[in-house]
Amino acid sequence: MSYLPEQLYREWQFMLRQRYILVLLVCTFLISGFSVISGLNEVDQQLQTIDRLKLADNEDRSDAQAKYNDVGLLAYYSFHLTYSPPSDLAFAALGERDIYPWKHRIRMLALEGQIYESDAQNAELAQAGKIDFVFVLSALAPLLIILLFHDLYASERTSGRHDLLVTTARSSFALWGARVAVRFCSVLVCLMVPLYVSTWLSGTSGVSVLLTSLWCVVYLVFWTVLSVWWGKRASSAPRVASGLIGVWVLLTFVIPILGDLAINQTIHAPEGGEIVLTQREAVNDAWDLPKKTTMDAFIATHPKWKNHVEMQSMFEWKWYYAFQQVGDQTAASLSQEYQTAAKRKYELAGYVSFFSPPLLLQRHLTHIANTDAVAAFEYEQQIREFHKQLRLFYYPWLFTQPEIDKAGLAAMPSFDDVVQNWPEGQSASGAGSAPQIHSIAR
């Protein structure tokens, strides 16, 4: 047996005799396993919810189409499910899916109110988030690394073995490098094995697994190098541990929180509730305004129907849906301001993440898993495109045909078609959704 393998084997045997290390490794494996199982259960529940809602949505819309012959009533009572299914890696990085809605039921009514109304849920639980693999890796794994490596040198100095080990070893690298390698690989295996089993069960793409593994290794190497370097000259293990934990608190909690506060103080934007209120006030006020005022505002953006806006009675569905459109137009400037400011916040949060490795890791892994704020914005843009197609589908009937052609309903746009035809990377060129800096200390 050559010298280096012999050293690795010796360090492996030495580590197995240290019970506290074995306990840490077992805890690491259990925590990692719990996080991926929790993520798999959450993703499975979301997929089951989507399947159940799709079935109910189709039945509900079929009933409405069979019941109503009036196009206005049909458009009013027909709901359309939109959803953003979790990716095959979402179980490991749930990201913003516990903050931003991933399903909506959309109607022909004004859209802004439907967009900014989130699912009803416990706000405190949403803020706390869920324990997923990214949280374990970014927030808890550094503590495990610190516990394993902070006393690498100090314990030997305290026991009086340091000088003897250095003198008898062929090289410092063979001695300390072998010990670092054995402990690092042990932690890495305990963290990654549950993840790899879960990616196999989920059918995760090889590229996603490879990128995730790369970021995990780089992140753990960073904390290992920091811990070994910090304790190299120290003789007091508790002092080393205290200093490293201070750095961990700074990078994991303080910088993200201060960055969040600074960005929110710097970038001001309307709230989603303000947009909803503006849109609803415009819709409600339309009942008391002259109908010509509404129709003039509508044909300003839809000149195609300028020759079909005359009304023969006090109420017509084309007028009703026209002021729904005008309600969205009234709130459009606020909505655009909200999105532009949110995009800027997300960009600034990216700069903050360069000073916080845990936050940087979270951003990269949620991007790989397609669960970040960019994915949430893309889903929102898909909803807007689908609603636009839905309006364009109904307008010819509303403005020119009093009776609906049931055979023509087969051409009704579907959200699935919008998603399938969605241009790759379109979301990257638009304004951002509502991304914030969410501290990983959830």
Side-chain angles (χ1 to χ4, degrees):
M1 182 180 293
S2 62
Y3 182 72
L4 184 57
E6 182 181 348
Q7 285 292 102
L8 292 173
Y9 179 76
R10 183 180 64 82
E11 290 298 335
W12 171 256
Q13 293 292 101
F14 178 68
M15 187 186 73
L16 292 180
R17 292 195 295 268
Q18 296 179 287
R19 291 186 178 181
Y20 84 95
I21 293 182
L22 295 181
V23 171
L24 283 176
L25 294 177
V26 171
C27 291
T28 301
F29 182 82
L30 293 177
I31 293 173
S32 178
F34 172 79
S35 69
V36 295
I37 290 174
S38 176
L40 287 171
N41 289 336
E42 176 65 22
V43 167
D44 184 62
Q45 290 178 10
Q46 292 183 9
L47 290 173
Q48 290 183 18
T49 299
I50 290 173
D51 289 340
R52 185 174 66 252
L53 291 178
K54 286 173 67 176
L55 181 62
D57 180 67
N58 290 331
E59 292 178 353
D60 182 64
R61 192 162 52 254
S62 296
D63 290 343
Q65 292 176 358
K67 183 177 181 180
Y68 299 107
N69 292 317
D70 184 281
V71 62
L73 289 173
L74 177 61
Y76 186 86
Y77 287 105
S78 292
F79 288 84
H80 303 265
L81 177 67
T82 69
Y83 57 93
S84 174
S87 70
D88 53 16
L89 190 62
F91 72 89
L94 294 171
E96 306 297 327
R97 291 184 69 84
D98 58 350
I99 297 175
Y100 299 119
W102 47 267
K103 61 185 184 300
H104 279 296
R105 294 186 75 201
I106 299 300
R107 289 193 288 171
M108 262 282 287
L109 305 183
L111 181 61
E112 296 298 336
Q114 301 179 76
I115 284 286
Y116 291 107
E117 284 181 340
S118 302
D119 295 339
Q121 58 181 327
N122 188 307
E124 293 296 328
L125 293 179
Q127 181 66 26
K130 296 179 173 63
I131 297 179
D132 54 11
F133 179 77
V134 167
F135 174 76
V136 170
L137 180 69
S138 57
L140 301 184
L143 285 178
L144 298 170
I145 294 292
I146 290 171
L147 289 173
L148 284 174
F149 292 100
H150 77 282
D151 63 345
L152 193 68
Y153 295 91
S155 63
E156 301 297 346
R157 289 193 176 98
T158 302
S159 64
R161 297 191 301 264
H162 180 271
D163 293 341
L164 177 62
L165 289 173
V166 172
T167 302
T168 57
R170 291 188 182 181
S171 68
S172 178
F173 176 80
L175 171 62
W176 304 113
R179 185 166 299 185
V180 170
V182 168
R183 294 190 181 189
F184 178 82
C185 290
S186 299
V187 173
L188 186 63
V189 168
C190 290
L191 279 171
M192 301 302 291
V193 165
L195 175 68
Y196 290 148
V197 173
S198 300
T199 56
W200 176 72
L201 294 174
S202 301
T204 308
S205 68
V207 174
S208 297
V209 175
L210 181 62
L211 290 174
T212 302
S213 301
L214 178 62
W215 278 106
C216 291
V217 171
V218 170
Y219 183 72
L220 294 176
V221 166
F222 164 76
W223 282 104
T224 301
V225 171
L226 179 63
S227 300
V228 173
W229 173 81
W230 196 293
K232 190 172 183 179
R233 302 296 180 186
S235 58
S236 173
R239 186 176 300 174
V240 175
S242 299
L244 289 171
I245 291 175
V247 173
W248 172 75
V249 171
L250 175 67
L251 299 181
T252 307
F253 300 96
V254 177
I255 291 178
I257 292 173
L258 291 180
D260 187 20
L261 293 174
I263 290 174
N264 286 330
Q265 289 293 323
T266 303
I267 307 297
H268 301 284
E271 299 290 338
E274 184 179 350
I275 299 172
V276 173
L277 181 62
T278 300
Q279 174 254 294
R280 288 182 175 174
E281 286 180 341
V283 169
N284 292 334
D285 292 345
W287 291 97
D288 301 320
L289 294 175
K291 293 179 174 57
K292 185 177 184 303
T293 301
T294 297
M295 288 305 192
D296 287 345
F298 175 79
I299 63 176
T301 56
H302 296 75
K304 178 180 179 180
W305 308 109
K306 64 181 179 180
N307 296 325
H308 303 277
V309 295
E310 294 297 327
M311 296 182 58
Q312 307 302 320
S313 60
M314 291 297 294
F315 177 86
E316 292 185 20
W317 283 110
K318 62 183 178 182
W319 167 66
Y320 178 82
Y321 288 107
F323 71 65
Q324 296 289 330
Q325 169 69 52
V326 172
D328 280 341
Q329 293 172 192
T330 304
S333 59
L334 283 178
S335 181
Q336 183 60 44
E337 182 181 350
Y338 176 89
Q339 295 177 28
T340 301
K343 178 184 178 183
R344 182 58 180 160
K345 287 183 179 182
Y346 186 72
E347 292 174 348
L348 292 176
Y351 296 130
V352 173
S353 69
F354 286 111
F355 300 95
S356 173
L359 188 58
L360 183 63
L361 175 75
Q362 184 188 42
R363 286 172 65 91
H364 280 289
L365 294 190
T366 54
H367 182 70
I368 295 172
N370 200 35
T371 57
D372 58 355
V374 176
F377 167 69
E378 184 173 16
Y379 169 55
E380 178 183 319
Q381 294 303 99
Q382 290 169 348
I383 295 175
R384 293 183 182 277
E385 177 60 26
F386 171 66
H387 192 265
K388 176 183 176 181
Q389 293 184 14
L390 203 60
R391 277 173 164 166
L392 295 178
F393 173 79
Y394 276 112
Y395 282 162
W397 278 331
L398 288 168
F399 284 90
T400 62
Q401 299 179 20
E403 296 294 331
I404 192 168
D405 179 12
K406 291 296 182 73
L409 293 177
M412 180 180 294
S414 71
F415 181 73
D416 288 341
D417 291 337
V418 171
V419 174
Q420 291 174 4
N421 298 323
W422 193 253
E424 186 73 21
Q426 177 167 317
S427 64
S429 62
S433 175
Q436 306 278 341
I437 298 179
H438 296 292
S439 172
I440 62 177
R442 306 201 257 185

